[in-house]
Amino acid sequence: MRLATSAYLPANQIFLTMPEAHSLSSAETLPTSSTTVSQLDLNSLLETSKILNASDELEFILSHIIRTVMGKFLLTRACVITESYQDNLEKVYRVALARGLRDLPKDFFDLDEFAKQFHLTLFPIISPKREIGYLGLGEKPSKAPFSDAEHKFIESLASLAATAIENAYTFAELRQQSRMLDQSVQKLRTLLELAKEYNVAMSRTEILRLMLRSISGQMFIKSCAAYLWQGESLVAEACQGFETAPASPQELQQLFASLQPVKLTAQTYPELYAADVRLAIPMRVNEQPIGLLLTSARYSETPFSESDIDFMALAAAQAANALEQRRLFEETLKKQAIEKELQVAREIQSALLPRYLPVIGGYDIAAINLPTFQVGGDYYDAMMLDDEHLFIAIADVTGKGMPAALLMANLQASIKAYLLSYQPATFDLSRFVGKINTIMYENTPEDKFVTFFCGILNCRTGVLESVNAGHNPPYLVRADGSLIALRKGGVILGVIPTLSPYQIERVILQSGDTLFLYTDGITEAMNAQREPFEETRLEALLIAHRSDSAQETLHAVVEAVQHFQPEGEQYDDITAVCLKAK
């Protein structure tokens, strides 16, 4: 039966001698009443007070209280019961220490039923701050009830114990906070060390292994693994402790979608839980998930606190950032390597174009090539085949960049090879272009082709023979402003075999005439309204500048096109050759 008796009594009821009273604090006031506590009991209480106040160990205090009452009353059973509140504010009781009692429940809610079941008399333990619990005592050997004096002694003892227990609780809480502070400092130190060790020279696996070692060492985790997204699946790239990396694609996919750490249960993630996985932490970069950190429980099976999870989440975020830095560093290296290769390709391609244009008596010639990228697909040439025959050509390869540049190099090499054996008397321009077409057709992919125009000018007579293989028709602007487009020829190079001969067009350049060869980078240039430059603007420019030098005419055209386009933009490669007959 529970005995509801206050442990506090008015001070005027205390029956103590002064020396003894000075050894007790005001919170340890001893009760008395008409039934006074004997001198022997007072000595025992004073001695107990000294012992309890000398210790801050909760277990020692509880053990001493139980030993005191069991020894004094020859009891065989006693316990100390503490009380607390659950999250729902319901009061719950717990046996903090017991002697002679068996099969006690870990927690219980009905205090009277507990006392009745184990035949205990309960004495409240109340500190100045709060109700702590109860001292439960079994029956005396004589089965006689506790007398009033015995009640007073036990209540006095409980009152003395209350402050000691409260102090022990406070000390334990401070010690726990100190321990948590030490752990937090150690976690912070670990994170700082990790930040120092991560560097772009480490491989992906080295970064992940360093993260796993740090987390498992700090958290005393048995096993952990890091998964990264590769293609369409999560792959375990680093593993520690697990014999084989836990594999459950569906559950991993589900966890990967989570934005926050997830504590796994057997009900929610049965396969991974069966593989000893207890916690999943996302690895994210700029809010974008890149992988997962999976851990088992600790060796001690102590649950992870919020602070523990925050530490692991920060360590995972650090590793994710290190991986991202490494990826960006690798991309930079690749770009630098590509830039270097393109620069070499540009130098090689530039060498394929004429370094110097021929100087011809009675003629003025100029040319320009402005690729969109470092390497382009446009080609032009101008070279003397003998003392009086000038070969000129211009071509535009489909596409841009390296593929177009390689195709252009192939075209240039074929032209040079055939022209090495040039003999004016036997040379057939139509057959020459047909052979070039055959080579291009046999050595280029189906989706690649070349528009091409070439001609041979007899500088002595002014006769120009030309073949146009699908290229923008060059303009022959007469001195009087009339204009002829050179269209005659045949099919584009590389599309079909040479089934029929290319047609040759013959014109005579006279003094004041201008021959202008160009690629579609001029006529298809776009302005801000996406309108093309078109042939009409080019024709007007050529007519307006027909009296200028070749270089001046070329400069006027390029300047007009660049002014037409939005600043800093170039739609396509720009290539042109201008030949003036003086």
Side-chain angles (χ1 to χ4, degrees):
M1 174 182 293
R2 184 168 66 175
L3 184 60
T5 306
S6 171
Y8 305 100
L9 290 174
N12 59 7
Q13 295 181 6
I14 298 175
F15 183 72
L16 293 172
T17 60
M18 289 305 293
E20 294 165 338
H22 284 306
S23 66
L24 299 175
S25 68
S26 58
E28 300 162 345
T29 305
L30 296 179
T32 184
S33 68
S34 57
T35 304
T36 58
V37 179
S38 68
Q39 183 61 45
L40 184 60
D41 290 343
L42 283 174
N43 290 339
S44 176
L45 289 172
L46 291 171
E47 184 63 26
T48 299
S49 174
K50 293 178 182 177
I51 294 173
L52 294 181
N53 288 326
S55 176
D56 52 19
E57 295 293 334
L58 180 62
E59 186 172 354
F60 172 80
I61 293 170
L62 298 181
S63 178
H64 183 77
I65 294 169
I66 288 180
R67 285 201 308 269
T68 299
V69 293
M70 292 181 72
K72 178 173 180 59
F73 302 109
L74 302 178
L75 305 179
T76 57
R77 297 178 293 117
C79 66
V80 175
I81 303 164
T82 59
E83 61 183 36
S84 60
Y85 290 89
Q86 295 182 318
D87 294 338
N88 59 4
L89 301 183
E90 185 178 9
K91 185 181 289 186
V92 60
Y93 299 95
R94 177 171 299 167
V95 178
L97 188 66
R99 294 286 185 270
L101 291 166
R102 295 180 178 179
D103 301 327
L104 296 176
K106 184 177 179 181
D107 300 307
F108 57 93
F109 298 97
D110 192 333
L111 186 62
D112 292 332
E113 179 63 27
F114 177 80
K116 182 179 179 181
Q117 179 182 355
F118 293 96
H119 306 288
L120 298 174
T121 301
L122 301 180
F123 297 85
I125 303 173
I126 304 174
S127 77
K129 296 181 180 177
R130 63 189 178 99
E131 186 177 87
I132 294 175
Y134 292 86
L135 178 62
L137 303 180
E139 295 174 331
K140 294 191 293 187
S142 63
K143 307 295 184 185
F146 291 102
S147 66
D148 289 344
E150 290 170 339
H151 267 283
K152 295 300 179 187
F153 174 82
I154 296 170
E155 289 166 4
S156 299
L157 181 65
S159 179
L160 288 172
T163 299
I165 293 172
E166 186 70 27
N167 290 339
Y169 275 137
T170 302
F171 183 78
E173 185 176 348
L174 290 174
R175 190 160 46 192
Q176 176 64 17
Q177 289 180 354
S178 175
R179 190 160 44 240
M180 292 175 63
L181 181 60
D182 289 342
Q183 291 174 350
S184 296
V185 171
Q186 183 57 40
K187 291 174 183 173
L188 182 59
R189 185 175 293 120
T190 300
L191 291 173
L192 291 174
E193 291 297 326
L194 278 174
K196 291 180 182 177
E197 292 196 36
Y198 287 137
N199 61 75
V200 295
M202 299 176 73
S203 68
R204 287 162 58 98
T205 302
E206 288 173 335
I207 291 173
L208 295 174
R209 285 178 177 171
L210 177 59
M211 175 191 68
L212 297 185
R213 283 200 306 273
S214 301
I215 290 178
S216 60
Q218 183 69 39
M219 294 286 103
F220 302 104
I221 293 172
K222 291 184 284 187
S223 311
C224 47
Y227 290 73
L228 292 184
W229 195 257
Q230 292 184 8
E232 298 182 353
S233 59
L234 280 167
V235 177
E237 293 201 13
C239 190
Q240 180 172 317
F242 290 114
E243 291 185 3
T244 58
S248 174
Q250 185 175 359
E251 293 183 4
L252 287 173
Q253 183 75 27
Q254 187 177 347
L255 287 169
F256 183 74
S258 174
L259 302 179
Q260 300 296 329
V262 178
K263 293 180 179 178
L264 279 65
T265 66
Q267 290 73 34
T268 54
Y269 299 92
E271 293 184 28
L272 292 177
Y273 190 88
D276 205 24
V277 178
R278 296 293 180 270
L279 183 66
I281 295 176
M283 299 178 65
R284 307 172 69 83
V285 174
N286 298 328
E287 302 302 320
Q288 294 298 320
I290 65 168
L292 271 176
L293 166 65
L294 302 184
T295 79
S296 67
R298 302 177 197 263
Y299 284 103
S300 62
E301 299 294 337
T302 305
F304 294 116
S305 66
E306 291 300 320
S307 174
D308 295 335
I309 295 175
D310 287 344
F311 163 75
M312 288 186 278
L314 285 172
Q318 274 189 335
N321 285 328
L323 292 172
E324 179 66 6
Q325 292 299 321
R326 174 174 173 73
R327 186 187 69 79
L328 294 175
F329 180 68
E330 289 177 339
E331 281 191 358
T332 301
L333 291 180
K334 289 179 181 176
K335 286 182 179 178
Q336 289 177 346
I338 292 173
E339 290 289 334
K340 188 174 181 179
E341 290 179 357
L342 286 173
Q343 179 60 32
V344 173
R346 172 61 182 164
E347 293 172 1
I348 293 174
Q349 187 182 44
S350 297
L352 298 178
L353 300 176
R355 180 172 298 180
Y356 303 105
L357 294 173
V359 178
I360 314 164
Y363 293 91
D364 177 22
I365 185 168
I368 190 170
N369 171 245
L370 299 174
T372 307
F373 303 111
Q374 286 199 18
V375 292
D378 282 2
Y379 164 72
Y380 76 90
D381 212 337
M383 58 182 170
M384 295 301 296
L385 300 177
D386 55 22
D387 292 339
E388 62 182 44
H389 292 92
L390 170 70
F391 174 83
I392 57 174
I394 193 165
D396 186 357
V397 180
T398 54
K400 298 179 176 63
M402 289 300 293
L406 291 172
L407 200 55
M408 185 272 270
N410 187 24
L411 172 65
Q412 190 264 0
S414 301
I415 291 172
K416 294 285 185 182
Y418 275 108
L419 292 181
L420 283 176
S421 57
Y422 174 77
Q423 294 294 329
T426 58
F427 186 79
D428 187 331
L429 187 62
S430 174
R431 290 184 59 192
F432 164 74
V433 177
K435 290 178 180 178
I436 297 296
N437 177 54
T438 300
I439 293 173
M440 301 304 293
Y441 174 74
E442 293 176 349
N443 296 283
T444 57
E446 293 181 355
D447 60 337
K448 299 295 180 185
F449 56 86
V450 181
T451 64
F452 179 65
F453 173 89
C454 68
I456 295 179
L457 172 68
N458 187 319
C459 299
R460 182 176 56 82
T461 63
V463 175
L464 172 70
E465 291 187 344
S466 66
V467 171
N468 192 333
H471 195 77
N472 300 74
Y475 290 113
L476 175 58
V477 183
R478 298 296 188 184
D480 60 1
S482 60
L483 186 144
I484 300 172
L486 305 180
R487 303 178 184 277
K488 192 175 291 185
V491 297
I492 296 172
L493 303 184
V495 176
I496 58 175
T498 305
L499 302 176
S500 58
Y502 283 87
Q503 295 183 346
I504 296 175
E505 186 167 7
R506 290 183 177 83
V507 293
I508 299 176
L509 271 65
Q510 299 172 346
S511 177
D513 289 351
T514 301
L515 179 64
F516 191 82
L517 286 61
Y518 66 98
T519 59
D520 57 9
I522 291 177
T523 52
E524 294 182 2
M526 297 284 185
N527 62 12
Q529 291 73 41
R530 312 308 296 168
E531 297 169 340
F533 190 80
E534 293 186 334
E535 286 76 4
T536 52
R537 288 187 175 84
L538 176 59
E539 293 169 4
L541 276 170
L542 295 177
I543 293 171
H545 292 271
R546 64 185 184 278
S547 300
D548 294 346
S549 67
Q551 186 63 47
E552 290 171 341
T553 303
L554 200 62
H555 177 75
V557 172
V558 172
E559 185 180 46
V561 171
Q562 291 178 335
H563 181 73
F564 184 75
Q565 297 178 132
E567 185 176 359
E569 292 187 16
Q570 182 176 328
Y571 174 75
D572 200 353
D573 302 339
I574 295 176
T575 303
V577 178
C578 185
L579 176 67
K580 294 262 186 176
K582 296 179 181 178

